[in-house]
Amino acid sequence: MLEEVERWLIDRSWSVADRPLHALLAAKRASGQTVSVVLPALDEEATVGDIVAVIRHDLMLQVPLVDEIVVVDSGSTDGTAEAAAAAGATVVHRDAILPRIPAVPGKGEVLWRSLLVTRGDIVCFVDADLRDFSSDFVTGIVGPLLTEPDVQLVKAMYDRPLGAAAGQGGRVTELMARPLLNMHWPQLAGFVQPLGGEYAARRCLLEQLPFPVGYGVELGMLVDALHLAGLDALAQVDVGVRKHRHQDGRALGRMAAAIYRTAQLRLARGHLIRPALTQFERSDDGFEPRTYSVDTEERPPMREIAEYQARRVA
């Protein structure tokens, strides 16, 4: 590991317990900063309401740390929108945001569009499939942004159990993202959960970043933030244990392909010869190929969008 990273791990890796809630509230009042929490959601009726309810109770009603909770629904066919609204979130459909640009499927697309429907100086992203959710996820990653003026992006780190097996979650991280980062961007080798969906950043940084539309968004954001702001502007906070719904191996393969593509573009800004991934499924006749397209689109920095510029002027 680089000496720079070893120093970073000491200076920029914290625990949620390092910043008591009263200290965060004092820092928020002193700075005048506002905090938005965004949950990207697709068919998460079973969990999204509980997450919203915890954040609203702990960090809006009990103490005024969070200023708004926005759930961006990317086309759910279940009761995701209703559950989120009933729990107290503002719910916006992905397609209603920036309608002149047709939406494409993908998590990064939703996160990018969320910048247009939130107002916070600090934007905190939380996945909508978490179980046994604690508001520590929010206070942990928002904390350094309120108390450390030089920090611009904070990732959560945590244990990820796979069923009853501790520490076996995050398979795409270990098999794809971590090797890529260690080999090509060794300054980022200290991040425990580089692909984790819980992170917070200053709006002034997010609006300068391109957003891969799919699963590559987390890796792309880390790499681009490193180049734009430098390693010391990035940090991570230990928030405990993350429990969520796990995907099957084929879905993880598609995720890995999107992440590899995101890394490839940042290595060379080159052209993908074949932006597709073929996987195999057994049928009565043997193994049958199934080919899936790999996300090949990125959204530009939000500050280049006319509607966003107009909102800032207003």
Side-chain angles (χ1 to χ4, degrees), residues 175-189:
L175 296 174
M176 176 60 71
R178 201 177 308 286
L180 281 172
L181 292 176
N182 276 265
M183 288 187 291
H184 298 298
W185 297 281
Q187 286 178 295
L188 298 175

Side-chain angles (χ1 to χ4, degrees), residues 2-134:
L2 298 176
E3 289 185 11
E4 180 183 8
V5 177
E6 292 179 350
R7 176 194 54 77
W8 178 85
L9 282 169
I10 295 172
D11 295 341
R12 288 290 186 261
S13 293
W14 295 296
S15 165
V16 65
D18 292 335
R19 291 175 177 81
L21 191 54
H22 67 82
L24 301 187
L25 292 171
K28 184 174 189 287
R29 285 193 295 267
S31 66
Q33 296 178 95
T34 53
V35 177
S36 299
V37 175
V38 173
L39 281 74
L42 176 62
D43 293 331
E44 303 294 356
E45 177 184 5
T47 50
V48 67
D50 290 340
I51 297 170
V52 170
V54 168
I55 297 172
R56 179 172 168 77
H57 175 269
D58 292 358
L59 304 179
M60 295 182 79
L61 300 179
Q62 295 278 41
V63 298
L65 186 72
V66 170
D67 297 281
E68 62 177 349
I69 308 173
V70 177
V71 171
V72 182
D73 185 358
S74 56
S76 299
T77 57
D78 63 1
T80 292
E82 293 78 8
T90 299
V91 180
V92 186
H93 195 282
R94 175 200 62 198
D95 297 348
I97 307 169
L98 201 60
R100 74 172 176 86
I101 300 178
V104 297
K107 179 182 180 182
E109 177 83 353
V110 173
L111 301 184
W112 182 71
R113 290 175 185 263
S114 75
L115 297 181
L116 259 172
V117 292
T118 54
R119 293 283 182 176
D121 303 303
I122 295 169
V123 183
C124 173
F125 298 118
V126 176
D127 281 349
D129 66 342
L130 303 187
R131 296 181 285 108
D132 300 332
F133 179 78
S134 166

Side-chain angles (χ1 to χ4, degrees), residues 210-233:
F211 276 61
V213 298
Y215 285 121
V217 63
E218 275 85 22
L219 183 134
M221 190 177 295
L222 262 188
V223 171
D224 293 341
L226 173 68
H227 289 301
L228 189 64
L231 182 59
D232 282 342

Side-chain angles (χ1 to χ4, degrees), residues 1 8 28 61 70 118 172 188 191 238 250 256-257 283 298:
M1 184 175 288
W8 178 85
K28 184 174 189 287
L61 300 179
V70 177
T118 54
V172 176
L188 298 175
F191 277 95
D238 187 348
R250 292 186 179 89
S283 69
E298 294 196 4

